[in-house]
Amino acid sequence: MAVSMLRMRCCVSLHASCSRLKRARIFLTLGSKFHCSAPASSELLFSLHKRGVLKDSFPEKAAQDQLPRLLQSVPQTVYCGFDPTADSLHVGNLLAIIGLLHFRSAGHHVLALLGGATAQIGDPSGKTSERERLSADVLEENTRGIRESIQRIFTNHEVLFHDSSTPLGTVNVLNNRSWYKSWGVVDFLSETGRYFRMGTMLSRHSVQSRLRSADGMSLTEFTYQVFQAYDFYHLNQIYGCRIQLGGTDQLGNLMSGHEYIHKVTGEEVYGLTIPLVTSSAGDKLGKTAGNAVWLNRDKTSPFELYQFFLRQPDASVEGYLKLFTFLPLAEVERLMEQQRENPSKRLAHKRLAAEVTKLVHGKEGLESAKRCTNALYHSSVQALEQMSDEELQELFREAPFCELFLEPGTTVIDACRKVRAIPDGPRG
């Protein structure tokens, strides 16, 4: 046990001290091997790293040596978790879904895990205060909204983006509430708690940062890594899952899952992290930061999503094309060259906005976004005439409004003057 703990500490220390350049060399070394063979799985890790979708791996040495061969051997099962703390996912979560889509396109099986149970615990990672407790009704509503969003995106990808000549892996959307509802607290702690060590748990960055905060950290939040570790174990036992995707802020939770499974089963499993999506100011995009761009139409319309990506700074657009679209990298390079030749046309921005909107909302959503854009920014009367009531409400959702009762004989000009939409002037 002491040797095992020493090995874990060494891995953590090595990971923390590695520079971005060193990690890039590791993946590029892997990538040079992938180019030697033809199967899609053999090039997957290299491609994901080159696009920027993958950031770190754990355990680093094992992932470098064993994971490429594992992915080439037989289809693997990969999972990523999403806690339903709101009734919609946001752009900050989209990159994790895209990671799953890349694995599925390469023939691997993917699991999207909804944290109906873990959302009640609250993940302390990246948080400065404890998450507010959610009622059962709110959790159920949130879970339903996120499930529909994930299923819609997977369907859009399969129909609009995937090459039908290549077989897709399977996809399942699960809820961890289903395996926790029958556990008693004493039984769960007796079964799992003995495999976790306080020193290791306390050393996690998410725990350390919360312990130094003004409010400290509750026991509930402290146990979150135990539940996420057990989720990985359960999926490993039932679905043969050996790979977990998560944001870079989830590295400590991924490490806990790896350690728990290795202690219980002796099996090697892997964690892969994806970068956090940040604003141009460097702030993390999400609900906690208050700058979320949602994936459900009732919270962020296709038009608003389209405009979010259309307005990205020039310096961000190439990276976002690699991260958020499935365009071949050679096509991204051609787009950027065209943009540099004629920046005013914003071809790269428009393609980025169109690809993401189509993935999230389908073809109809993209057409809706274009109609609203043409009506609002290009003074297209035809586009305005074609807009539905829903689109008009979405377009002017944040606009100020005024209610008034119209008397018989009131003209449009009179109405506009009453609500001060136009200045008063001579009548006639």
Side-chain angles (χ1 to χ4, degrees):
M1 180 63 70
V3 174
S4 175
M5 289 300 297
L6 178 60
R7 187 181 298 114
M8 172 64 73
R9 290 194 184 100
C10 288
C11 282
V12 174
S13 176
L14 175 62
H15 174 83
S17 63
C18 277
S19 68
R20 181 175 300 177
L21 179 59
K22 182 176 180 182
R23 291 196 295 268
R25 287 198 197 104
I26 289 171
F27 275 99
L28 288 172
T29 300
L30 291 174
S32 65
K33 299 177 184 176
F34 296 155
H35 277 304
C36 297
S37 53
S41 292
S42 67
E43 298 183 359
L44 180 59
L45 291 181
F46 175 76
S47 174
L48 291 180
H49 172 71
K50 197 169 183 181
R51 300 184 78 96
V53 175
L54 286 187
K55 188 171 178 63
D56 294 308
S57 59
F58 184 84
E60 195 169 40
K61 185 65 167 62
Q64 177 185 355
D65 295 340
Q66 302 165 18
L67 189 54
R69 291 194 296 271
L70 185 67
L71 290 170
Q72 292 179 64
S73 59
V74 294
Q76 296 299 309
T77 301
V78 185
Y79 105 88
C80 186
F82 306 90
D83 278 350
T85 54
D87 58 0
S88 171
L89 297 177
H90 50 74
V91 166
N93 305 121
L94 183 58
L95 194 54
I97 300 176
I98 287 175
L100 292 178
L101 290 170
H102 278 291
F103 275 95
R104 189 186 182 210
S105 289
H108 300 290
H109 310 302
V110 300
L111 306 172
L113 179 62
L114 306 184
T118 43
Q120 295 179 291
I121 304 299
D123 183 3
S125 304
K127 308 294 190 303
T128 57
S129 60
E130 188 167 6
R131 178 180 291 163
E132 184 178 341
R133 191 172 186 274
L134 301 175
S135 68
D137 290 342
V138 170
L139 270 175
E140 184 177 353
E141 181 180 348
N142 290 353
T143 301
R144 186 185 308 111
I146 291 178
R147 179 185 294 273
E148 291 173 355
S149 179
I150 291 175
Q151 290 173 335
R152 182 182 70 249
I153 293 172
F154 270 93
T155 299
N156 288 340
H157 175 262
E158 183 173 348
V159 173
L160 302 174
F161 293 91
H162 181 68
D163 180 3
S164 59
S165 64
T166 306
L168 282 169
T170 61
V171 56
N172 280 296
V173 183
L174 308 172
N175 187 342
N176 64 10
R177 175 71 179 167
S178 65
W179 54 82
Y180 285 117
K181 61 184 179 182
S182 60
W183 274 98
V185 62
V186 174
D187 292 336
F188 180 76
L189 288 176
S190 176
E191 179 75 23
T192 63
R194 65 186 71 252
Y195 294 100
F196 292 85
R197 292 294 174 264
M198 291 294 296
T200 304
M201 294 176 69
L202 286 167
S203 70
R204 303 298 188 216
H205 174 73
S206 60
V207 174
Q208 286 291 314
S209 60
R210 286 301 304 279
L211 289 176
R212 291 192 295 267
S213 67
D215 295 333
M217 186 181 199
S218 71
L219 174 63
T220 303
E221 286 183 301
F222 183 64
T223 63
Y224 185 90
Q225 58 184 294
V226 176
F227 285 93
Q228 185 162 326
Y230 185 81
D231 284 343
F232 198 175
Y233 168 78
H234 178 86
L235 297 175
N236 172 263
Q237 295 297 295
I238 303 301
Y239 295 92
C241 179
R242 299 183 66 179
I243 303 169
Q244 180 182 359
L245 287 183
T248 53
D249 59 349
Q250 294 293 306
L251 183 59
N253 293 328
L254 269 64
M255 292 161 65
S256 294
H258 169 273
E259 181 180 359
Y260 178 64
I261 293 172
H262 193 69
K263 285 181 178 180
V264 175
T265 70
E267 187 176 357
E268 190 72 83
V269 295
Y270 309 91
L272 298 174
T273 67
I274 56 178
L276 299 178
V277 183
T278 59
S279 67
S280 57
D283 300 321
K284 177 183 174 182
L285 292 180
K287 181 172 65 68
T288 303
N291 57 2
V293 178
W294 303 98
L295 303 184
N296 283 9
R297 184 167 188 157
D298 60 340
K299 296 175 76 72
T300 297
S301 70
F303 164 74
E304 292 167 318
L305 180 69
Y306 182 88
Q307 288 295 320
F308 171 78
F309 283 97
L310 188 64
R311 295 171 181 171
Q312 287 303 307
D314 292 349
S316 301
V317 69
E318 182 174 3
Y320 274 20
L321 279 167
K322 294 176 180 178
L323 288 172
F324 288 105
T325 79
F326 300 94
L327 297 175
L329 293 179
E331 187 171 349
V332 172
E333 291 177 8
R334 286 194 298 271
L335 265 174
M336 295 309 302
E337 184 61 33
Q338 292 171 352
Q339 173 123 329
R340 284 187 284 269
E341 292 174 357
N342 198 337
S344 62
K345 288 188 175 181
R346 296 172 60 82
L347 295 176
H349 292 78
K350 292 176 181 177
R351 187 65 182 276
L352 169 65
E355 292 291 309
V356 178
T357 305
K358 188 166 61 172
L359 175 66
V360 175
H361 294 293
K363 282 185 176 180
E364 195 283 328
L366 176 57
E367 292 304 316
S368 172
K370 288 182 175 179
R371 280 193 296 271
C372 293
T373 298
N374 289 332
L376 190 62
Y377 296 115
H378 302 291
S379 303
S380 172
V381 176
Q382 181 181 6
L384 188 62
E385 290 174 343
Q386 294 173 346
M387 289 173 62
S388 65
D389 291 345
E390 181 183 24
E391 289 170 343
L392 287 168
Q393 292 172 359
E394 290 171 348
L395 186 60
F396 299 106
R397 178 156 43 198
E398 302 300 326
F401 67 91
C402 181
E403 295 183 10
L404 73 158
F405 293 100
L406 298 179
E407 299 175 359
T410 303
T411 66
V412 173
I413 294 294
D414 291 335
C416 290
R417 287 196 176 107
K418 283 185 177 181
V419 299
R420 298 183 179 179
I422 59 175
D424 288 333
R427 300 170 183 258

